[in-house]
Amino acid sequence: MAPVSLETEDHSRDAAFNRAMHGKSAGERAGFMSMLKKDPNSQKAAVDEYFKHWDNQAAGTETQEIRAARKAEYATLTRHYYNLATDLYEYGWGASFHFCRFAYGERFYPAIARHEHYLAHMMGLRDGMKVLDVGCGVGGPAREIAKFAGVNIVGLNNNDYQIERATRYSAKEGLAKQVTYTKGDFMQMSFPAESFDAVYAIEATVHAPSLEGVYSQIFRVLKPGGVFGVYEWLMTEKYDNDNQHHREIRLGIEQGDGISNMVKVSEGLQAIKDAGFELEFHEDLTDRPDPVPWYYPLAGDFSMMGSIWDLPTIFRMTKLGRGITHTFVGALESLSLAPRGTQKTADSLALAADSLVAGGREKLFTPMYLMVARKPKS
């Protein structure tokens, strides 16, 4: 593995910034109410720190040095991305920040849960196992998998605000002892070696500057014979980095989703093997002949809705719905009810949505390349 420079962790600094920016908003109801309670100066600092990597950066002029600069600040980039985007995610998508497959007539949230259940099934999770969720977000998948499989889960996250919200949700659902959360950088985990029976990651390790690096950390904390399952974000083998249109799609996804460096399927497969795992199963689930594509909520196609009850969720993702959000957030900023930068963040998420749909339709990108691997027993 080529050497990867790791950022120095400073949990006291991060906790202080979280208190300054978010205050008590972690206790607010998800969505706009939380967004209105941010400190404007801290929000500006987060906006400046995040968008310095993207402003005036076009696919036509992107260089390896520009990508290397993003990788060098992978943890800061990701942390500030979620400082800015978490409330918008919860407003538009819910507590599980990932995509899923859809069966005929299937509603949005049951489909999200089924995707989580399928990973637990493929990994063979069982009652009483100690499991690590790498990059747990606000804990939606962890709580669902804990209830589904009866496992005890520790969620790892480098964003203090998300940990506060996740902890609140676990307590609300009576899972405070079964699902807990800890602060940390998944490229340099503080857990002792051989701590967990199983580890999973759902669309989270894409934030790593090196997949081999994060997979190696997962290998270290797994017990011998332990299983690792991941839904990985990857560019497909059809992706051509010399094609500017392809690069525009990749860059739009990276900018709108806080990703420093996305790689191709072949590189992901090689990374998990180089980390020491025995790969037991791998498949791009977007290749399944599903009646509804994974990206349909972002495309805002009402004809594919599984239920009328999904209308509010899908409407928010349409161009009209995103336009209303853009205008509404802009108005809130003008009235000083929302901090400056909220609209810019929402627009970045909209760019990501369009790029994700394009990547899905052109088979250049997958958000659900499933890999199940095992740490050898000896």
Side-chain angles (χ1 to χ4, degrees), residues 200-336:
Y200 70 83
I202 299 179
E203 303 185 22
T205 44
V206 67
H207 293 292
S210 160
L211 287 182
E212 184 183 346
V214 67
Y215 294 166
S216 295
Q217 283 291 296
I218 290 167
F219 185 90
R220 183 184 66 81
V221 301
L222 261 178
K223 295 176 182 178
V227 64
F228 170 46
V230 58
Y231 287 132
E232 195 60 85
W233 279 32
L234 294 165
M235 305 307 293
T236 69
E237 296 307 302
K238 187 179 177 182
Y239 173 80
D240 178 7
N241 201 56
D242 292 329
N243 183 315
Q244 183 169 326
H245 172 65
H246 289 190
R247 288 202 310 275
E248 288 170 351
I249 289 173
R250 173 184 55 75
L251 193 62
I253 294 171
E254 289 176 339
Q255 173 181 335
D257 291 293
I259 299 166
S260 64
N261 182 59
M262 198 153 46
V263 300
K264 295 171 73 169
V265 167
S266 56
E267 295 172 74
L269 291 170
Q270 191 60 50
I272 206 165
K273 295 173 184 176
D274 289 345
F277 284 103
E278 295 174 347
L279 189 59
E280 296 184 341
F281 180 87
H282 67 96
E283 180 187 4
D284 183 354
L285 297 185
T286 70
D287 288 337
R288 295 280 184 96
D290 295 324
V292 176
W294 62 268
Y295 53 79
Y296 108 84
L298 295 181
D301 189 342
F302 293 115
S303 69
M304 296 182 182
M305 280 196 312
S307 166
I308 191 66
W309 299 109
D310 286 340
L311 181 62
T313 300
I314 305 308
F315 177 74
R316 285 194 289 265
M317 295 296 107
T318 63
K319 287 191 180 296
L320 175 59
R322 297 200 304 255
I324 291 173
T325 299
H326 170 88
T327 302
F328 181 59
V329 170
L332 291 176
E333 285 190 14
S334 298
L335 296 171
S336 299

Side-chain angles (χ1 to χ4, degrees), residues 68-263:
R70 294 199 295 264
K71 289 169 64 176
E73 297 187 7
Y74 68 95
T76 300
L77 184 149
T78 302
R79 185 171 58 255
H80 282 310
Y81 172 75
Y82 284 112
N83 277 330
L84 297 169
T86 294
D87 296 324
L88 289 165
Y89 269 44
E90 289 197 68
Y91 161 73
W93 205 260
S96 290
F97 301 169
H98 64 79
F99 294 103
C100 65
R101 297 169 57 209
F102 293 94
Y104 176 78
E106 189 171 29
R107 290 180 57 188
F108 180 78
Y109 290 115
I112 288 283
R114 181 168 65 87
H115 198 61
E116 296 160 358
H117 298 169
Y118 185 70
L119 180 62
H121 161 71
M122 291 296 289
M123 293 173 64
L125 299 186
R126 303 184 306 279
D127 281 2
M129 292 176 74
K130 185 179 180 182
V131 179
L132 176 65
D133 179 336
V134 176
C136 63
V138 296
R143 293 187 296 276
E144 185 63 36
I145 289 173
K147 290 180 283 190
F148 175 76
V151 296
N152 299 300
I153 297 179
V154 176
L156 179 65
N157 195 319
N158 84 336
N159 183 278
D160 299 74
Y161 179 61
Q162 289 194 338
I163 290 173
E164 287 187 356
R165 292 193 71 81
T167 301
R168 173 174 167 262
Y169 293 144
S170 283
K172 182 179 180 180
E173 295 183 29
L175 298 169
K177 293 183 178 179
Q178 189 179 356
V179 184
T180 60
Y181 308 93
T182 190
K183 165 84 171 179
D185 176 358
F186 56 30
M187 291 294 293
Q188 43 190 331
M189 297 183 195
S190 60
F191 306 112
E194 302 179 4
S195 294
F196 296 95
D197 300 303
V199 179
Y200 70 83
I202 299 179
E203 303 185 22
T205 44
V206 67
H207 293 292
S210 160
L211 287 182
E212 184 183 346
V214 67
Y215 294 166
S216 295
Q217 283 291 296
I218 290 167
F219 185 90
R220 183 184 66 81
V221 301
L222 261 178
K223 295 176 182 178
V227 64
F228 170 46
V230 58
Y231 287 132
E232 195 60 85
W233 279 32
L234 294 165
M235 305 307 293
T236 69
E237 296 307 302
K238 187 179 177 182
Y239 173 80
D240 178 7
N241 201 56
D242 292 329
N243 183 315
Q244 183 169 326
H245 172 65
H246 289 190
R247 288 202 310 275
E248 288 170 351
I249 289 173
R250 173 184 55 75
L251 193 62
I253 294 171
E254 289 176 339
Q255 173 181 335
D257 291 293
I259 299 166
S260 64
N261 182 59
M262 198 153 46
V263 300

